[in-house]
């Protein structure tokens, strides 16, 4: 999700700010999947007879198959008021790390390019953005030298907690500790969500804070037997602890950074599924829920014409080869 005015799930960008949300069904399990990049907006009145603040929300669907679209809402004009909400499906732990890694890396790479480009024309603005990324981390925090904050505000939401809470306790422990480390390393907030009204109210408060600058919540819950809720800057590596693996096994893992070490530990318990994201993504044009008879008939006709053109072209090229 991308939010301007301040997006695996539920993720969304105002004169007051923009937000981008990467969605993988945050709340309702029967919600229709997001098609590519969807846009909506929200408004909030500041007072009587005063202009309303507007937040622009961009929601990216398709998992990791449509990463190129992240460049549409994130530009040099929107970046200074932009936030990212990444929603991950807790019920699919084997997909969690690759989805999170690919989405965050692609987004970070694009933001870095935008900041670099901005620096060529407005070095002051680019410098302010680089300094702003540290705003979520208190100056006296013991981990300031050990983390690498995300370039813009980031919130990670773990969806489908109602399914996740029935997982084996040891598996829950690994997932919770891993997500806490990733969120803390990137200077992000972390929270779990489900259909519970209490959790939805908390999420709504976080979105309002990003979009309209409402006071940030200072509440925290790090109990792995409860839905995690950790505001950026309130966690620590000391409280998170080391990767959940026997001490004698850590030395056997070849890793060049703390992030890579946590990845290896996580994927040892939850090996990623080797699925081609392009093949895994269904063609929306062939989805029955979007059926429209007139459009579908025209599409079928055009598909038939395309196939005829392909066969005709193939014959033509074969003939050219024979003639030569």
């Amino acid at each position: 999700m991308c939010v301007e005015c301040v997006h695996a799930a539920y993720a969304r960008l105002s004169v007051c700010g923009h937000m981008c949300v990467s969605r993988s069904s945050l709340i309702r399990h029967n919600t229709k999947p997001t098609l590519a990049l969807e846009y909506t907006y929200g408004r909030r009145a500041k007072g009587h007879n005063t202009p309303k603040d507007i937040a622009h929300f961009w929601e990216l669907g398709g998992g990791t198959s449509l990463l190129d679209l992240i460049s549409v809402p994130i530009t040099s004009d929107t970046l200074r008021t932009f936030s990212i909400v990444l929603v991950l499906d807790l019920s699919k732990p084997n997909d969690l790390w690759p989805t999170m890694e690919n989405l965050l890396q692609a987004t970070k790479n694009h933001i870095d390019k935008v900041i670099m480009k901005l620096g060529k024309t407005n070095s002051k603005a680019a410098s302010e953005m680089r300094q702003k990324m540290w705003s979520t981390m208190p100056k006296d925090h013991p981990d300031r030298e050990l983390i690498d904050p995300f370039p813009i505000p980031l919130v990670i939401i773990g969806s489908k907690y109602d399914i996740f809470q029935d997982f084996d306790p040891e598996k829950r422990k690994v997932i919770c500790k891993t997500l806490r480390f990733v969120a803390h390393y990137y200077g992000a907030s972390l929270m779990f969500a489900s259909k519970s009204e209490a959790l939805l109210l908390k999420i709504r408060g976080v979105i309002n804070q990003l979009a309209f600058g409402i006071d940030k919540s200072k509440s925290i819950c790090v109990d792995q037997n409860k839905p995690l809720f950790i505001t950026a800057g309130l966690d620590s590596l000391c409280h998170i602890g080391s990767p959940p693996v026997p001490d004698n096994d850590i030395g056997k893992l070849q890793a060049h950074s703390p992030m890579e070490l946590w990845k290896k530990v996580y994927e040892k318990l939850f090996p990623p599924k080797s699925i081609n994201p392009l093949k895994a993504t269904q063609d929306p044009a062939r989805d029955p829920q979007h059926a429209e008879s007139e459009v579908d008939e025209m599409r079928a006709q055009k598909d038939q014409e395309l196939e005829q053109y392909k066969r005709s072209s193939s014959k033509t090229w074969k003939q050219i080869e024979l003639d030569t």
Side-chain angles (χ1 to χ4, degrees):
M1 176 196 308
C2 312
V3 180
E4 183 205 358
C5 179
V6 186
H7 274 49
Y10 189 96
R12 310 188 177 213
L13 262 194
S14 96
V15 181
C16 160
H18 287 79
M19 175 179 294
C20 181
V21 181
S22 171
R23 182 176 185 281
S24 50
S25 112
L26 170 66
I27 302 172
R28 306 178 186 84
H29 296 179
N30 60 347
T31 186
K32 292 183 179 180
T34 300
L35 296 178
L37 186 65
E38 296 184 359
Y39 168 80
T40 186
Y41 67 92
R43 293 182 295 184
R44 178 176 179 270
K46 292 188 291 186
H48 186 62
N49 290 332
T50 59
K52 294 182 178 179
D53 285 337
I54 301 175
H56 304 281
F57 295 88
W58 300 84
E59 188 168 351
L60 178 64
T64 59
S65 65
L66 300 172
L67 288 174
D68 290 346
L69 293 179
I70 200 69
S71 62
V72 175
I74 303 180
T75 67
S76 57
D77 293 327
T78 65
L79 193 58
R80 277 170 282 187
T81 54
F82 212 91
S83 297
I84 297 289
V85 178
L86 172 64
V87 183
L88 301 168
D89 190 338
L90 294 175
S91 70
K92 298 178 180 179
N94 296 81
D95 297 334
L96 192 149
W97 188 283
T99 299
M100 173 176 64
E101 182 178 48
N102 291 333
L103 284 168
L104 289 180
Q105 194 57 56
T107 304
K108 187 177 185 299
N109 289 343
H110 175 68
I111 293 172
D112 287 342
K113 290 179 182 178
V114 173
I115 294 178
M116 188 178 298
K117 183 179 178 181
L118 178 64
K120 294 178 180 179
T121 57
N122 191 338
S123 59
K124 182 180 178 181
S127 178
E128 288 175 351
M129 288 214 60
R130 293 191 181 94
Q131 293 175 10
K132 185 180 177 182
M133 69 175 68
W134 289 95
S135 62
T136 59
M137 189 63 56
K139 292 183 178 181
D140 59 347
H141 198 289
D143 299 336
R144 276 185 72 92
E145 302 299 321
L146 304 173
I147 65 171
D148 184 18
F150 207 70
I152 58 178
L154 170 66
V155 173
I156 299 176
I157 297 177
S159 68
K160 299 186 181 179
Y161 175 78
D162 45 332
I163 297 176
F164 173 76
Q165 66 183 347
D166 294 327
F167 279 18
D168 175 80
E170 282 304 308
K171 291 185 176 181
R172 287 206 316 270
K173 177 182 177 181
V174 172
I175 295 172
C176 287
K177 291 191 67 171
T178 301
L179 288 178
R180 283 181 64 186
F181 170 78
V182 172
H184 184 60
Y185 183 81
Y186 283 127
S189 296
L190 172 67
M191 52 209 64
F192 288 174
S194 70
K195 293 181 287 186
S196 161
E197 188 61 32
L199 291 180
L200 294 182
L201 285 173
K202 283 189 173 183
I203 300 296
R204 206 167 289 139
V206 171
I207 299 301
N208 279 331
Q209 188 277 320
L210 289 174
F212 302 111
I214 296 173
D215 290 343
K216 186 184 299 185
S217 172
K218 295 296 184 181
S219 63
I220 182 172
C221 177
V222 297
D223 186 346
Q224 69 185 44
N225 296 311
K226 297 178 181 180
L228 297 184
F229 190 92
I230 309 168
T231 304
L234 296 185
D235 212 343
S236 71
L237 295 176
C238 178
H239 293 143
I240 295 170
S242 59
V245 64
D247 292 339
N248 57 336
D249 286 348
I250 286 187
K252 300 176 184 177
L253 297 173
Q254 299 291 327
H256 298 92
S257 67
M259 183 66 75
E260 187 178 354
L261 177 61
W262 279 86
K263 176 182 179 180
K264 287 182 178 294
V265 171
Y266 183 86
E267 292 188 340
K268 189 174 182 181
L269 181 60
F270 302 107
K273 299 175 182 177
S274 54
I275 298 177
N276 185 332
L278 295 177
K279 291 183 179 179
T281 304
Q282 294 183 343
D283 183 353
R286 303 183 187 280
D287 191 332
Q289 70 175 341
H290 303 297
E292 291 188 36
S293 57
E294 293 182 2
V295 175
D296 293 340
E297 288 174 8
M298 181 62 70
R299 171 65 184 264
Q301 180 183 334
K302 294 299 180 183
D303 285 345
Q304 189 175 7
E305 291 174 359
L306 178 60
E307 288 303 316
Q308 290 176 349
Y309 173 76
K310 287 179 180 178
R311 287 194 293 269
S312 176
S313 297
S314 177
K315 291 178 182 178
T316 301
W317 282 106
K318 285 180 181 178
Q319 180 155 7
I320 290 174
E321 290 174 2
L322 289 174
D323 291 344
T324 57

